[in-house]
Amino acid sequence: MDSRTSTITLRIEKLRDAMKSQGVHAVLVPSSDPHLSEYLPERWQSRQWLSGFTGSMGTLVVTLDRAAIFADTRYWTQAEAELAGTSITLEKISSAMSPQFIDWIIAQLKPGQTLAVDGQVLSLALAHTLRAAMAKAGLQLRTDVDLIDAVWTERASLPLAPIYEHLAPHATSSRADKLAQVRAAMAALGQSHHFISSVDDVAWLLNLRGADVDYNPVFMAHALLSEQDLTLFVGAGKIDAALQARLAADGVRLAAYADAAPALAALPAGARVLMDPKRVTLGLREAVPAHATVREAINPSTLAKSRKSAADAAFVREAMAQDGAAMCEFYAWFEQAQGKERITEITIDEQLSAARAKRPGFVGLSFPTIAGFNANGAMPHYRATAESHAVIEGNGLLLIDSGAQYLGGTTDITRVWPIGQVSAAQKRDYTLVLKGTLNLSRAVFPQGTLSPMLDALARAPLWAHGLDYGHGTGHGVGYFMNVHEGPQSISKAIPDANMAMEPGMITSIEPGHYRPGLWGVRIENLVLNIAKPTSENGAFGQMLAFETLTLCPIDTRCIDMSLMSAEDCAWLNSYHAEVRARLQPLVSGAALDWLMARTEAI
């Protein structure tokens, strides 16, 4: 047993000792924090600390004699490698939203036994589901104990990064206007108060940004909004006096981060509180006193920030052009350096990040760069490390998924490039994925269409050849905010009314196909929902279409032309003409030469 697996084993054993002392028979460890964030500060990376599995999504369950990680197809290969040698098994699930772990828990426990989960990191929506399932199975559920804290003796403290203001012109709507917008939505629902825990909603509402988690410019805070003022619960010293004064001018007062639950407990009799069950924890919901009422509904800010204004969209287009120029510089270097320099997957990350860092408005990366050559590209969330990475040499496919945060927008793009000779099978996979990207990019659909309904358009070319992929086709993207943003999701998710496609939403289109141990293909652009005039002049409702925002050539050397339709070729040629026109003024020398070569019509 190596030191890594023995460390994991010891941690699990310590947890089991704590479970026995509390009379607990199973512990649920979700990948979440008190804000239900996707990217977690170190303090709340409990699942990773206990299991050694480093994927960004996954659920750990530990019983007195078994332990399992529940992960979807994006992480199967990674999880199998990282869990090897431990006593933790991988339970493969179809999607991150799968409740399969609940059935597994019920199968492991006997009636009357107890499952524990920390209510401070358990979403209210999941708590509803979990309680109902546990009660039906005759099991007890405890949410009042954090067993992880009892065994994680060197747990990190709260992040201390300072908070700063997202300023005009890039902040295109004032804090006062956003507060008024959300208060109007509260009033329409008949609510006197609104409690917000999701860090991206808090940051958007107050035109503030931070650096408490990697890649997303957010900070750990809760907000309690009333009809007159807003209390921001945040760590001491994170907001300087000047910014505090500007916030006060807009009716925002500061309180200690730990005071959020006591403030909810002190709500007056008759208070009517709006809470989003998918974006607030059970622990905070339970702090609301019995003399107040709670209405569970989506945060108005979640809907508002998903619909970018025309001014937002203009800045996003500028950010996309700068991002595209950076990629031209990187890829020009990359192609010239092949065969002359030793290039690894880590080199790609370093060089591409450096090219982006030179561009105006750059703040940081929007997620860890994925550079996967051949078999590594078959792992959708692969990340090279100093200990394990590939050298880019020989023949095959190189997948690069990367993105950045700019003051005027957030980018996310995936491209696949040929290295040496590419086989007919690789070209076939590449072309079918490309056809999926093009098929969805050309879509016209009624405003209000539930986003999961569009998913099949991207999969159809792959399905026709018996192929598919396990991840979603598209996620919403924030405005200098989280790279993954709801409520829209082009995926196999069960749709709800909040997933309606509306003008101004930015979403990724990223079908893929993966052959474990061989290669992977994914081609991704970000698109903007725009109004689409038709010959019917709206007689059957307003139609929407996608404006492709991402500006970077799509490699044509990997295309199997026998699979391309005339419509496919026309769209790709039009896109490349646009990329050339938009990026040509921003690059020169080798980068310009590369751009011109890679945007030649087919």
Side-chain angles (χ1 to χ4, degrees):
M1 182 181 294
D2 63 29
S3 59
R4 181 190 66 83
T5 56
S6 62
T7 298
I8 297 303
T9 299
L10 289 172
R11 289 172 180 173
I12 295 291
E13 288 176 355
K14 285 180 65 177
L15 177 62
R16 286 183 172 134
D17 289 341
M19 291 164 60
K20 291 171 185 175
S21 70
Q22 290 284 338
V24 168
H25 303 89
V27 173
L28 171 63
V29 187
S31 299
S32 64
D33 63 12
H35 308 273
L36 306 177
S37 306
E38 177 183 7
Y39 290 95
L40 306 177
E42 185 180 353
R43 177 174 179 78
W44 287 288
Q45 291 183 7
S46 306
R47 182 263 300 156
Q48 178 176 325
W49 181 81
L50 264 174
S51 69
F53 170 55
T54 62
S56 60
M57 299 286 286
T59 301
L60 171 66
V61 182
V62 179
T63 71
L64 294 175
D65 58 2
R66 294 192 65 185
I69 283 283
F70 294 79
D72 65 57
T73 179
R74 296 171 295 172
Y75 304 101
W76 290 351
T77 303
Q78 175 184 347
E80 286 172 342
E82 291 181 340
L83 298 176
T86 71
S87 60
I88 305 169
T89 59
L90 170 64
E91 295 291 328
K92 297 180 178 180
I93 58 177
S94 58
S95 76
M97 304 304 293
S98 170
Q100 187 175 324
F101 67 89
I102 298 178
D103 295 333
W104 190 89
I105 292 169
I106 292 170
Q108 303 304 311
L109 301 186
K110 299 175 182 178
Q113 292 188 324
T114 300
L115 168 71
V117 55
D118 180 11
Q120 302 305 317
V121 298
L122 177 67
S123 81
L124 181 55
L126 179 55
H128 290 329
T129 302
L130 200 56
R131 277 180 167 164
M134 295 299 104
K136 185 177 180 181
L139 301 173
Q140 305 298 313
L141 177 64
R142 283 192 62 183
T143 60
D144 62 336
V145 60
D146 180 4
L147 290 175
I148 307 300
D149 210 46
V151 300
W152 194 355
T153 54
E154 297 180 359
R155 195 171 189 177
S157 58
L158 287 169
L160 301 174
I163 294 168
Y164 59 96
E165 203 163 9
H166 190 213
L167 297 168
H170 296 106
T172 62
S173 182
S174 71
R175 181 162 45 241
D177 286 346
K178 289 179 177 179
L179 287 166
Q181 182 180 0
V182 173
R183 285 194 173 105
M186 286 168 52
L189 294 171
Q191 303 302 291
S192 62
H193 295 77
H194 178 26
F195 187 76
I196 310 170
S197 271
S198 40
V199 291
D200 51 333
D201 283 295
V202 173
W204 176 87
L205 181 62
L206 298 177
N207 280 349
L208 299 177
R209 298 293 188 270
D212 282 355
V213 298
D214 294 334
Y215 310 110
N216 294 334
V218 295
F219 51 93
M220 313 306 288
H222 304 280
L224 180 59
L225 182 63
S226 73
E227 295 161 314
Q228 295 81 32
D229 58 19
L230 181 146
T231 303
L232 181 65
F233 304 95
V234 68
K238 292 175 70 69
I239 296 180
D240 64 31
L243 178 52
Q244 185 173 339
R246 292 194 295 276
L247 289 168
D250 286 322
V252 178
R253 73 177 190 87
L254 304 186
Y257 179 80
D259 286 348
L264 286 171
L267 285 169
R272 303 176 306 281
V273 190
L274 174 63
M275 285 183 161
D276 188 333
K278 294 182 179 180
R279 296 170 179 84
V280 73
T281 64
L282 173 68
L284 288 165
R285 166 61 182 89
E286 290 183 332
V288 178
H291 62 240
T293 60
V294 171
R295 176 164 182 165
E296 296 182 10
I298 191 170
N299 288 337
S301 51
T302 298
L303 294 170
K305 70 182 171 61
S306 72
R307 301 164 187 170
K308 281 64 177 176
S309 67
D312 292 340
F315 281 118
V316 170
R317 293 184 187 101
E318 290 181 11
M320 293 289 175
Q322 294 296 340
D323 205 56
M327 286 184 287
C328 287
E329 292 181 3
F330 163 75
Y331 285 119
W333 166 83
F334 176 74
E335 291 194 5
Q336 288 181 344
Q338 281 186 65
K340 301 175 185 175
E341 301 180 32
R342 184 177 186 272
I343 304 175
T344 71
E345 293 165 336
I346 292 178
T347 313
I348 290 168
D349 186 359
E350 294 170 345
Q351 293 286 339
L352 182 52
S353 298
R356 283 189 163 111
K358 299 175 190 175
R359 308 312 301 188
F362 174 85
V363 177
L365 300 185
S366 56
F367 58 94
T369 298
I370 299 168
F373 183 47
N374 282 342
N376 292 339
M379 294 181 276
H381 278 220
Y382 168 78
R383 188 180 185 188
T385 66
E387 298 74 29
S388 178
H389 60 267
V391 177
I392 313 304
E393 60 186 4
N395 300 315
L397 296 177
L398 172 64
L399 183 153
I400 303 178
D401 187 349
S402 64
Q405 297 283 4
Y406 297 86
L407 291 173
T410 301
T411 71
D412 182 1
I413 172 176
T414 309
R415 293 291 186 264
V416 173
W417 306 98
I419 305 299
Q421 298 298 312
V422 179
S423 70
Q426 289 170 330
K427 286 188 175 183
R428 173 177 173 269
D429 284 358
Y430 179 93
T431 308
L432 292 174
V433 170
L434 173 60
K435 286 174 70 68
T437 302
L438 304 186
N439 208 38
L440 183 51
S441 299
R442 295 191 296 259
V444 177
F445 49 93
Q447 181 174 333
T449 296
L450 300 182
S451 51
M453 295 177 66
L454 301 172
D455 183 71
L457 295 177
R459 296 180 190 270
L462 290 146
W463 285 347
H465 290 260
L467 307 178
D468 200 4
Y469 50 96
H471 56 73
T473 296
H475 55 83
V477 178
Y479 176 66
F480 183 34
M481 191 62 74
N482 292 359
V483 73
H484 294 158
E485 176 181 273
Q488 75 274 28
S489 172
I490 303 176
S491 66
K492 294 181 180 179
I494 298 173
D496 64 56
N498 294 313
M499 293 179 176
M501 293 293 263
E502 300 291 345
M505 287 180 165
I506 295 176
T507 313
S508 68
I509 294 178
E510 49 180 311
H513 185 60
Y514 311 94
R515 296 188 182 273
L518 297 174
W519 64 77
V521 178
R522 186 166 63 255
I523 300 173
E524 175 187 19
N525 287 330
L526 300 189
V527 295
L528 174 71
N529 290 0
I530 58 172
K532 174 69 173 179
T534 70
S535 58
E536 297 294 340
N537 296 316
F540 296 91
Q542 174 63 59
M543 295 292 169
L544 299 179
F546 292 127
E547 173 192 338
T548 298
L549 296 168
T550 303
L551 298 171
C552 181
I554 295 171
D555 191 84
T556 57
R557 294 166 294 178
C558 293
I559 294 176
D560 179 346
M561 290 301 296
S562 70
L563 296 171
M564 295 283 281
S565 68
E567 189 178 16
D568 292 334
C569 293
W571 190 98
L572 190 57
N573 287 337
S574 176
Y575 173 69
H576 278 154
E578 176 75 6
V579 169
R580 178 182 287 191
R582 295 274 300 283
L583 298 187
Q584 199 168 349
L586 300 177
V587 294
S588 59
L592 177 59
D593 294 340
W594 182 87
L595 171 67
M596 300 300 284
R598 294 287 162 255
T599 53
E600 285 290 335
I602 58 172

